Amino acid sequence: MDSLFIVANLKSNKTYAEAKLWLDTFDRIDKNLLEQKKVIICPSFVLLQTFKTFISQNNLRVSLGAQTVSSVDEGAHTGEVNAKQIKDFADYVIIGHSEERKLLNESDPLLQEKVNLSLKYGLTPIYCVQNQDTFIPQGVTIVAYEPIFAIGSGTPDTPYNAGNVAKAIKTKGIPTVLYGGSITFTNVKEFTKESSLSGVLVGGASLEAQEFIKIIKNA
Ligand code: PGA
């Protein structure tokens, strides 16, 4: 069986000092767990270097992801962080998260551009969909099903429904489907035991490293 994906989306949280504390705690994890599961941590852009250095100095078998990417390539685009720049630090990128869709009103063609540029520079998109009918750009191989009602609400979707949505998404040729929305260390197993789900995307419960370790352990 392919290893389970456990993705931490730290969102717009953690100062530099807080990130160092998070990493020091996370480093106490049983390293065997990191051999068995595919752990990906997605901090803010400004913390990617900190995470990358710590992970390499401590030989942690963990991958990094960004939380978004520019829809335009390198050049005169003030404020944008492009895929080529991100690739220096990360192998994955979250695209189409509902929080960003809401703030920035991202359109499907723009999301397709983000996917295209990520793939051009060797980043693997983790593409968020809000339901099974959400548009999925060409080239996407990992989708995270994240129903809006479940994000940060403490009320996850049922594992049964998440499993069914994952099955529907897989019929579109997507090999890897994750679930995200109010995952905790107490409910994670119910989702990861659904055969159509390949893992989870964790927001709030990843903010405490100790809690995130428990999620990895229980998944
Ligand atoms: P949550 O967030 O785990 O806090 O619900 C998940 C996400 O938004 O990716």
Side-chain angles (χ1 to χ4, degrees):
M1 197 187 110
D2 292 338
S3 53
L4 274 180
F5 283 79
I6 317 286
V7 186
N9 175 10
L10 299 177
K11 307 193 180 185
S12 185
N13 292 294
K14 306 291 174 200
T15 60
Y16 173 71
E18 288 164 350
K20 298 274 273 187
L21 284 174
W22 191 99
L23 283 162
D24 284 339
T25 305
F26 184 75
D27 192 31
R28 295 186 210 134
I29 190 171
D30 170 2
K31 304 298 181 296
N32 288 324
L33 287 172
L34 299 178
E35 299 295 325
Q36 296 151 12
K37 290 161 192 171
K38 173 88 191 138
V39 175
I40 304 170
I41 303 170
C42 306
S44 312
F45 287 137
V46 291
L47 295 170
L48 278 170
Q49 172 78 76
T50 306
F51 274 77
K52 186 182 172 187
T53 303
F54 189 94
I55 284 166
S56 95
Q57 281 172 352
N58 295 278
N59 279 321
L60 289 174
R61 205 172 160 277
V62 161
S63 300
L64 288 177
Q67 297 172 12
T68 186
V69 59
S70 178
S71 60
V72 286
D73 214 331
E74 61 184 333
H77 310 293
T78 302
E80 294 295 302
V81 180
N82 67 65
K84 189 179 179 188
Q85 293 173 310
I86 294 172
K87 184 57 191 169
D88 279 344
F89 302 97
D91 292 313
Y92 294 87
V93 58
I94 296 172
I95 296 178
H97 193 283
S98 59
E99 287 161 359
E100 200 172 48
R101 286 179 191 253
K102 197 168 136 205
L103 268 182
L104 303 178
N105 226 342
E106 292 175 309
S107 66
D108 292 345
L110 180 133
L111 291 164
Q112 176 74 65
E113 271 313 303
K114 290 187 171 197
V115 168
N116 293 348
L117 286 164
S118 298
L119 295 174
K120 174 177 172 189
Y121 291 108
L123 289 170
T124 302
I126 299 172
Y127 193 80
C128 298
V129 302
Q130 291 67 49
N131 57 62
Q132 68 193 57
D133 300 322
T134 308
F135 164 78
I136 300 173
Q138 288 288 321
V140 167
T141 53
I142 304 178
V143 160
Y145 163 56
E146 296 210 310
I148 289 172
F149 70 81
I151 295 179
S153 65
T155 309
D157 201 344
T158 61
Y160 176 75
N161 192 53
N164 279 342
V165 173
K167 273 182 211 142
I169 292 168
K170 286 180 143 189
T171 64
K172 302 179 188 182
I174 304 295
T176 304
V177 183
L178 318 180
Y179 168 77
S182 296
I183 285 290
T184 62
F185 67 86
T186 50
N187 67 20
V188 65
K189 186 73 192 175
E190 294 167 43
F191 289 90
T192 54
K193 73 182 184 206
E194 282 291 327
S195 59
S196 53
L197 289 171
S198 303
V200 288
L201 178 50
V202 187
S206 68
L207 292 179
E208 294 294 336
Q210 201 54 56
E211 205 174 329
F212 186 52
I213 291 172
K214 283 198 216 165
I215 290 176
I216 298 169
K217 207 189 227 161
N218 292 355

